[in-house]
Amino acid sequence: MINNNKDLRVIRTACPAHCGIDCCGILAHVKDNRVIKLEPADFPDENDRRICLRGLSSLEITYHPDRIKYPMKRIGERGEAKFKRITWDEAYSTIISKFKRISEDYGWKSIGWVLGGPGSGTTKFGAYLRLASLTQSTRVSAWGYGDAGLPCGSRVIFGHQFPYMHLFGEFWQRKWPDLLVIWGSNPAESMPLQTMRKVLDAKENGTQVVVIDPRFTVTASKADEYIGLKPGTDSAFALGLMHVIFQKRIYNPEFVREFTNGSYLVRTDTGKFLRGKDIETKKENVYIIWHEPTDSYKVMRRSNVKEACLSGSFKVNGIECKPALQMLEDLTLQYTPKKTSEITGVQVDLIIKLAEKIATTKKVVFYTHMGFTRTYHGDISLRGLITVASITGHVTTSFSSGYMPAVLNWDPFLKAIPEKPSFHRMGILNLYDAVISEKPYPIKAVWFAFINFLNQCANSNKIINEFFPKLDFIVQTELFITPTARYADLLLPVCSFLEFSDFLPHPYPYLQLQQKVINPLYESKSDATIVAELAERLEFGEYFKGGEEGLIDLIIDHPLLKGVSRESLKKGAVKLQPLPEGGNFPLSFRTPSGKIELYAEQLVEDGEALPVYLPPIEAPISPSEKKYPLALINGHSRFRTHSMFANVQSLLDLSPEPIVDVNPIDAEKRDITNGDIVTVYNDRARTTLKARVTEGVKPGVLDITEGWWIEQFREGSLNHLTHDIINPVQDKIYEPNMHMNDVAVELMKYKGIEK
Ligand code: SF4
């Protein structure tokens, strides 16, 4: 509490990040137990004291007249949104009896907790994980509703799922590079303050900014150079850059030898690494290099890897081998600037210039985020980007004067009883099969929390017609009757962010408390409280003692967070401690080789050991495509918080209805002018909305921003057009992604609703 007098209280809290992970600090002014104003709160660094229009408008969420005010049960058909008020006791009794029956018939694992990603709260998420772990039910991961391509790609090349520290951790610490390459990301709209502000600050300090994107975005409008490419061709573009870098011999051999597996010999007959067993040493699994000074093979050691050959072809015991980097170079041979230009639509000279700039500039940072990987092969696109960064030495491997990454005590949530098995884990795209076909096992009940599943997941008609009807029981915690909530059997009212406390480990390198500002309105409760009260009835109450505050204490109970407490966080953001002078925090690669894996042996059988270019599964990249010649993508709008909150009036005043952006060339071909009502369609559905004719999208591309509610469209919706095809390689690596930016459509002037 910053100020306290009879009339006015000012409480420091934090935006739970309607933009992902930025988490701006907020001062809430409270009068007569009502929040009357939000403003930015102080940060240790004045540059971070900011708030955007989404953060400001979140007060409208709290006091929105349409809030769900009490528990309700369905009385009409699913989808009709006919509900009747019930008590919390009745709600809990219904849940317990349904869960008991389903668990007796199918086992607890047939109950799935489908947890979304809005905001950065940890206890609301952790509480569900803890209960899922105690009941050994199924936690359905939401990575796959658009974001799983990123961890899939990062796991292969870095060995863990967050590539950020390696790519732009130092940028987050305001250490400006000479060149900033923003690839497939639009922070000006998706992360406007803590991230885009840094982009602009870097630019003011002399950083050259290049944006690579199929759309001429707001971020692109602030860049020194914009490179527009066709959707889904990023890995071809990466290979084209590498082609130039290899041909001009301007890669960084020292970095490649020390930090990547580029020097390890690969058998050309099997595609697997040459191992100790192939040369009959005692250690069967060691890697082998070709040692330049002695012109002979050697077991790879730290002492000799600096002298390893990176190119050429060698024979070891009659086995033909090449260094992994040579395999990569061989792959890039076909991606001449001319061919790369044909695939990506980027001019030849731009490809050559950018490759040279990346390789010859001292400090280059690559910035990307989730949207980049929302194509069928988005995981490989990410590997392509990281491979370019790695062969030129622009990956951060340690922070010599930086900060430790945020640490959380997450184990009590992942495994509440250490000696017992934990929850089952399932990707959200795999959930479709688990419900519809009962494979790999049946899911009969789902609990949706902070997720607008129907609105935001692919192939809406499949969800409505095949998925929902197969479920025995649907519970949802929500603030509003969203398109998904209309299908719930039981609706439980949850608090807005001003009505409960949570721990936010953002924006990096800060920790913050989302402090409860007012008591819960109506009969709403926080997710953590709902879980705790349900757990009590399931005889797991002892694991939730202290409610949401107890859970926060559990999370921050970590040796590296000594001195951090709820009380200290109430005063303001806490900056993670700098390392001791001269300290060095190594960022380790948890890959099989312990290095950046330019060559991924585990994907040899899948044909993806290298970051190959595989065309989009659906999005057309050639104008010769006849039936559905346009590629549909969906960007993020700065005028919307999460899709759960697509009903905030002040943001609707600025952006009142869904629109589709279409290039003038494509519009003219179809006799479409700015503001016309048009229908976007494919074999799955039709979606009708207003057209905006703009050169902001490339010819052949349509863009509809995501997050609009189904009922805000004149017909259909964005995700009626998308598909739920599973990429088996992503399924094998981690979990399959939904490929919202890999969709083929056609466009026409609206001719009336189709019967
Ligand atoms: S930039 Fe993000 S975290 Fe900051 S106020 Fe806006 S929505 Fe909230």
Side-chain angles (χ1 to χ4, degrees), residues 15-24 26 50-56 190-194 641:
C15 179
H18 297 308
C19 55
I21 53 173
D22 271 0
C23 295
C24 299
I26 287 182
R50 303 182 186 283
I51 190 168
C52 80
L53 77 173
R54 289 185 290 218
L56 286 170
S190 55
M191 302 171 92
L193 296 187
Q194 306 300 342
T641 56

